[in-house]
Amino acid sequence: MKRVYNFSAGPSMLPLPVLEKAQKELVNYADSGMSVMELSHRSGLFTDIITGAEQLLRDLMNIPDNYKVLFVQGGASQQFAMVPLNLLTNSKKADYVNTGSWSKKAIKEAKKYGDVRVIASSEDENFSYIPEIDSSMIDPEADYVHITTNNTIEGTAFRNIPDTGGVPLVADMSSNILSEEIDVSKFGLIYAGAQKNIGPAGLTVVIIREDLIGGAPESCPTMLDYKTHSESGSLYNTPPTYGIYIAKLVFEWLTELGGLKEMEKINRKKAELLYDFLEQSNMFRSPVKKDSRSIMNIPFVSPSAELDAAFVKEAKAAGLETLKGHRSVGGMRASIYNAMPTEGVEALIQFMKEFEEKHAQ
Ligand SMILES: *Cc1c(COP(=O)(O)O)cnc(C)c1O
């Protein structure tokens, strides 16, 4: 069987044991004579899947009891609207940090609902760093502060979670959830599209502190109200059942691996290998400031667009897929999420070495 190392930013690699288990269970899940895709979302078997998935996630992330876990649809992009629809409802003021393309989209959407202030931005330097945030920058009356913890396109990540005092912190964690240990209690709300570190596209995970549920106005569409999903255990309507099942398998895989502490160690090691190589390379370099570098998405550039194009093409032929950088940044980008094995990163580095020798002037 031919499997490539897929460096896609999303949808991205899934752990092979997860795919194999899903394959084994595909046509006859738990002796039901059906696939999970064919099971009623109200059946006992599916109830076990969704409650099991939630419990595994709670244990992995050490989610406190006063937080709800919601499985919804619409992607992280729908959260750009759901967050202000539900939370921008008291002072109608929110503070956003602009660290890249996804932050910008979140800001644009929130502006439809209230008074949005950008309290810090790294746009002045092409989003190549994470700006300093201190509590004096935050409006104490704001309904919430929004950050993007890992910037998938630009390859930056918050090293320290800002202290927002009494103002709830909302985080788009789409591209780094489950990659390292975090203290959930520092956040009011965390959301993530599944297709990077959780499972297939179509599922979105929301972790929300209970006191932030129930503030949406009457006019809020039922499906966009966190209360709807919280009160129904994410079963108000048919949830993305197969996505939740695969997420559960991913959570089991992570648990068996040793949880987030172990996953973080592996992820730091993988990123260090690649950054160390970039540091000494005569051809490739990272465009991101050292103290702001992501361990999930690692952009790098060569001296010319021609070399970039040759690199992406030759890498693909060598079984290293989807290394082209985002159209807004150019160059290359290696997304090395949880499911990317260390061997994949080593293979990439070996290939970069050979490419560098071959194309040296
Ligand atoms: C991928 C991504 C999104 C968009 O997710 P969708 O599920 O496609 O809407 C938003 N924010 C971040 C940080 C992402 O990486």
Side-chain angles (χ1 to χ4, degrees):
M1 178 192 48
K2 180 185 176 246
R3 291 270 301 167
V4 297
Y5 291 120
N6 178 11
F7 294 90
S8 169
S12 44
M13 283 185 87
L14 281 164
L16 187 56
V18 166
L19 295 176
E20 285 172 341
K21 180 146 194 216
Q23 182 182 44
K24 222 167 99 206
E25 297 181 329
L26 183 68
V27 299
N28 183 7
Y29 176 73
D31 259 338
S32 65
M34 291 180 225
S35 133
V36 170
M37 284 178 264
E38 300 165 294
L39 282 177
S40 163
H41 59 295
R42 314 247 174 235
S43 64
L45 280 177
F46 186 73
T47 305
D48 291 346
I49 291 173
I50 194 168
T51 54
E54 174 174 344
Q55 193 55 52
L56 284 159
L57 184 64
R58 284 188 173 277
D59 293 344
L60 279 167
M61 293 182 70
N62 206 4
I63 301 173
D65 289 341
N66 62 326
Y67 285 72
K68 294 279 190 198
V69 173
L70 313 178
F71 296 115
V72 298
Q73 304 190 50
S77 301
Q78 182 164 285
Q79 294 307 309
F80 297 164
M82 268 176 90
V83 165
L85 260 167
N86 284 268
L87 269 50
L88 198 45
T89 47
N90 292 314
S91 69
K92 292 199 187 296
K93 293 196 282 187
D95 286 349
Y96 276 67
V97 181
N98 181 14
T99 49
S101 308
W102 292 118
S103 304
K104 274 171 98 166
K105 286 193 170 163
I107 291 164
K108 188 169 171 228
E109 197 70 5
K111 281 185 172 165
K112 297 181 179 179
Y113 302 99
D115 184 3
V116 168
R117 205 164 60 111
V118 175
I119 56 166
S121 168
S122 50
E123 194 161 17
D124 57 340
E125 290 179 41
N126 225 2
F127 298 119
S128 59
Y129 70 103
I130 296 290
E132 283 298 325
I133 313 293
D134 75 71
S135 49
S136 69
M137 298 158 82
I138 293 161
D139 178 352
E141 275 185 18
D143 286 334
Y144 62 91
V145 178
H146 182 283
I147 61 170
T148 312
T149 47
N150 184 80
N151 297 278
T152 325
I153 293 173
E154 297 80 6
T156 61
F158 278 83
R159 277 282 161 85
N160 303 304
I161 299 306
D163 177 8
T164 55
V167 181
L169 179 60
V170 174
D172 177 355
M173 260 185 218
S174 295
S175 51
N176 71 333
I177 192 166
L178 297 171
S179 67
E180 57 187 291
E181 292 189 295
I182 59 146
D183 180 355
V184 173
S185 72
K186 286 186 175 165
F187 300 87
L189 190 157
I190 292 167
Y191 63 88
Q195 66 274 23
K196 283 120 191 185
N197 257 343
I198 298 173
L203 168 67
T204 309
V205 171
V206 176
I207 301 164
I208 180 171
R209 213 172 62 208
E210 278 166 355
D211 61 287
L212 298 173
I213 300 172
E218 276 295 309
S219 62
C220 180
T222 307
M223 280 297 287
L224 300 183
D225 190 337
Y226 291 125
K227 195 164 150 227
T228 303
H229 303 284
S230 154
E231 286 183 341
S232 63
S234 303
L235 290 165
Y236 173 76
N237 72 331
T238 321
T241 53
Y242 202 72
I244 293 168
Y245 159 73
I246 297 287
K248 178 171 178 270
L249 297 185
V250 170
F251 300 157
E252 282 168 354
W253 172 79
L254 268 171
T255 306
E256 275 164 31
L257 191 117
L260 297 195
K261 200 185 181 92
E262 198 52 37
M263 191 71 254
E264 175 170 349
K265 258 192 232 160
I266 298 170
N267 284 332
R268 291 203 178 280
K269 178 78 204 165
K270 285 187 292 183
E272 194 184 303
L273 286 172
L274 188 46
Y275 283 124
D276 284 353
F277 174 76
L278 289 171
E279 246 4 92
Q280 59 76 54
S281 169
N282 292 319
M283 176 175 281
F284 303 104
R285 65 176 184 85
S286 160
V288 177
K289 299 250 160 67
K290 262 192 181 154
D291 63 356
S292 301
R293 289 177 178 175
S294 165
I295 59 169
M296 292 280 101
N297 310 97
I298 306 188
F300 53 94
V301 293
S302 80
S304 75
E306 290 71 34
L307 277 173
D308 287 350
F311 181 88
V312 171
K313 195 169 157 224
E314 292 176 30
K316 186 178 165 68
L320 306 167
E321 289 261 356
T322 338
L323 280 159
K324 194 172 169 17
H326 190 270
R327 58 191 182 280
S328 67
V329 177
M332 279 72 68
R333 171 178 49 169
S335 294
I336 53 172
Y337 298 116
N338 288 353
M340 172 62 68
T342 306
E343 296 78 52
V345 177
E346 286 166 349
L348 171 63
I349 293 168
Q350 186 56 34
F351 177 81
M352 289 168 82
K353 275 186 191 153
E354 287 163 16
F355 186 90
E356 194 169 330
E357 278 163 26
K358 186 173 146 196
H359 293 271
Q361 265 90 27

